[in-house]
């Protein structure tokens, strides 16, 4: 079986909802890949240009709660500010939380190609070290 790239993400079949997986060498890069998987699960960003930078601080928490907090923030900003991240840069804030910087675009600049997520499900949530890298699997309620 072919090994996945060192860093990446994908959508996997799941009954009625959307399930994403992501992996990367570090916790922070894995969170960034999960954000990309979330966004790519329902939009085609071809032709969209990254606009302003937005910043989000996920408060100190365990790893799974940090991941859910970041993904929930993406959904919240989509619903309240009509913007989606095209790029993500995630770093440890040195205090047990995460600092996330996004370059965003308006929801009107992208094409919907799938069901829009309404929330992150805690059911079968997985995030943590996986051999020599980090990986996660998340179900999105649509």
């Amino acid at each position: 079986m072919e090994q996945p790239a060192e860093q990446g993400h994908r959508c996997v079949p799941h009954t009625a909802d959307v399930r994403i997986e992501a992996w990367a060498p570090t916790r922070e890069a894995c969170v960034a890949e999960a954000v990309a998987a979330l966004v790519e699960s329902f939009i085609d960003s071809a032709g969209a240009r990254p606009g302003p930078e937005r910043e989000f601080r996920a408060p100190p928490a365990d790893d799974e709660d940090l991941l859910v907090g970041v993904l929930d923030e993406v959904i919240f900003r989509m619903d309240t500010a009509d913007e989606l991240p095209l790029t993500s840069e995630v770093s440890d804030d040195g205090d047990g939380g995460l600092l996330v910087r996004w370059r965003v675009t308006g929801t009107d600049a992208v094409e919907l190609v799938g069901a829009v997520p309404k929330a992150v499900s805690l059911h079968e949530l997985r995030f943590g070290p996986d051999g020599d890298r980090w990986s996660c699997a998340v179900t999105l309620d649509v």
Side-chain angles (χ1 to χ4, degrees):
M1 184 159 116
E2 185 177 323
Q3 289 287 345
E6 181 177 308
Q7 183 167 321
H9 57 269
R10 64 182 168 217
C11 286
V12 293
H14 193 269
T15 309
D17 293 313
V18 173
R19 186 131 172 108
I20 59 172
E21 295 178 350
W23 58 92
T26 66
R27 176 184 75 156
E28 294 77 17
C30 191
V31 170
E33 288 291 337
V35 169
L38 166 83
V39 172
E40 290 172 14
S41 75
F42 68 98
I43 69 155
D44 178 1
S45 63
R49 297 185 187 274
E53 184 174 274
R54 301 288 188 246
E55 191 172 280
F56 171 67
R57 290 186 183 276
D62 67 32
D63 294 326
E64 288 183 345
D65 288 341
L66 286 171
L67 174 64
V68 170
V70 171
L71 297 177
D72 277 342
E73 183 68 12
V74 172
I75 294 169
F76 174 77
R77 288 176 187 236
M78 176 186 61
D79 289 342
T80 62
D82 295 322
E83 62 185 25
L84 289 166
L86 291 180
T87 65
S88 299
E89 180 185 305
V90 181
S91 57
D92 187 318
D93 73 357
D95 196 30
L98 295 173
L99 173 61
V100 184
R101 288 190 175 94
W102 288 303
R103 294 290 306 271
V104 299
T105 191
T107 54
D108 59 348
V110 296
E111 180 182 349
L112 287 178
V113 295
V116 176
K118 302 295 182 211
V120 177
S121 173
L122 301 180
H123 182 69
E124 296 182 346
L125 173 68
R126 179 180 52 75
F127 181 47
D130 184 10
D132 62 349
R133 64 182 182 185
W134 282 72
S135 69
C136 69
V138 180
T139 301
L140 305 171
D141 295 331
V142 294

